[in-house]
Each structure stands twice: as structure tokens, then as C-alpha cells.
Amino acid sequence: MTKKRELILRLGVAIYSLCIICVCFTPQPQLPTGVETPGIQTFGRLVFLLTPLNSLWNLGEVTSLGQVIWIFLQNILNVFLLFPLVFQLIYFFPNLRKTKRVLLFSFLVSLGIECTQLVLDFFFDFNRVFEIDDLWANTLGGYLAWLLYKQLHNTQ
């Protein structure tokens, strides 16, 4: 890897990591009126969505097209949250270039994000939700990054 490419990737990792921090670890604004996520469970100030595939199981509770779009976009964005970060890190860490390692790394980063959100919500009431679906969606994003990396390097 050339020095220029390495510098670009390092900047990309740093900038995208800051973006993840801003998106995941700052207070979440209240949703617009009429947009409710079904299946929410609260324990004190902590909020959880512990039902796997919650969006599908609770689809009957959705009352508007706006809610359907909101839920769909949340799921898609969660799939691609870790994609750019994992894609760039694969270049830096050859040991990460195995399917099991990418899956484990992506899952652990996602779990770290979700647990940190719980801590922030406990101490500062950031209006965050620990979602089981975020764990698999973020992990899937890391896996898709790995597949793209493999595809790009099998064709060159």
C-alpha cells in the first residue's frame, strides 16, 4: 500500500469513527409526532427492543406509511453503520481477513455501541434504545464489507 493510500485510509477510519460517535453517542432527538417504534420495553430510564426481528413481529402495530418508512430506513441504516469502518480496517489488519473474524469483530463493535448507549442513557438520559436487531444488522454490514473486499481483490 502506498503512503498516500495509507494516509487516506487512516483519515477515513478516523473521520468515520467520529461520525459513528456523533450518531451513536449523542442524545437522540424525540421522534416526530406519530412515529412510534412498536415493541419497546422500559426498565427505569433504560429502553430496550429485545424481540429479534421486532419490525416484522410488530408490523401489525404500525399505523401509517410514515412509520413503515421510518422503521425500514432504520434497519437499512443499521446494516450499513459499520460497513465503511470494517471495509477500511480490513486493509490495515490482514488478521481480520477471515469471515469468522470479521463477523466477531463487527458483532463486538456493535455490542460495544449498544452497551455504551445503555450507560449513557442510565447516567444522562440520552433517549437511546438497546436493540437486539442492531446487533445482527451491524454484523451483517461488517460481513457485506468483507464480501466487497473479497470481490474487489479476487478480480484484480
Side-chain angles (χ1 to χ4, degrees):
M1 181 178 333
T2 66
K3 294 268 187 197
K4 185 176 181 179
R5 183 176 280 179
E6 183 178 341
L7 176 63
I8 290 169
L9 279 173
R10 286 188 189 279
L11 284 171
V13 167
I15 290 169
Y16 196 74
S17 295
L18 287 173
C19 290
I20 288 175
I21 289 168
C22 289
V23 168
C24 297
F25 303 136
T26 56
Q28 185 170 313
Q30 293 292 338
L31 296 176
T33 313
V35 177
E36 294 290 327
T37 303
I40 294 280
Q41 299 170 327
T42 58
F43 302 96
R45 286 182 8 183
L46 302 180
V47 182
F48 297 86
L49 273 171
L50 299 176
T51 307
L53 301 173
N54 180 66
S55 301
L56 294 175
W57 290 116
N58 292 304
L59 202 55
E61 295 180 36
V62 176
T63 59
S64 72
L65 180 60
Q67 286 179 319
V68 171
I69 292 170
W70 177 258
I71 292 168
F72 178 76
L73 286 175
Q74 277 185 312
N75 287 313
I76 293 298
L77 291 173
N78 273 309
V79 169
F80 290 102
L81 176 69
L82 295 183
F83 182 95
L85 181 66
V86 171
F87 184 75
Q88 293 174 87
L89 289 175
I90 289 170
Y91 281 94
F92 284 119
F93 300 104
N95 290 339
L96 192 58
R97 296 177 191 159
K98 295 188 184 325
T99 301
K100 287 181 182 179
R101 289 183 182 175
V102 167
L103 290 171
L104 180 62
F105 176 78
S106 300
F107 177 79
L108 290 175
V109 169
S110 181
L111 183 62
I113 289 169
E114 294 299 314
C115 290
T116 302
Q117 288 178 338
L118 275 179
V119 170
L120 289 171
D121 223 35
F122 180 77
F123 287 111
F124 304 109
D125 197 16
F126 272 22
N127 193 34
R128 291 294 180 166
V129 178
F130 181 100
E131 295 187 47
I132 292 293
D133 285 347
D134 288 358
L135 297 175
W136 70 261
N138 296 159
T139 303
L140 175 60
Y143 180 67
L144 292 175
W146 168 235
L147 292 179
L148 176 62
Y149 176 88
K150 285 185 2 178
Q151 181 66 34
L152 291 174
H153 291 279
N154 284 340
T155 58
Q156 293 181 357

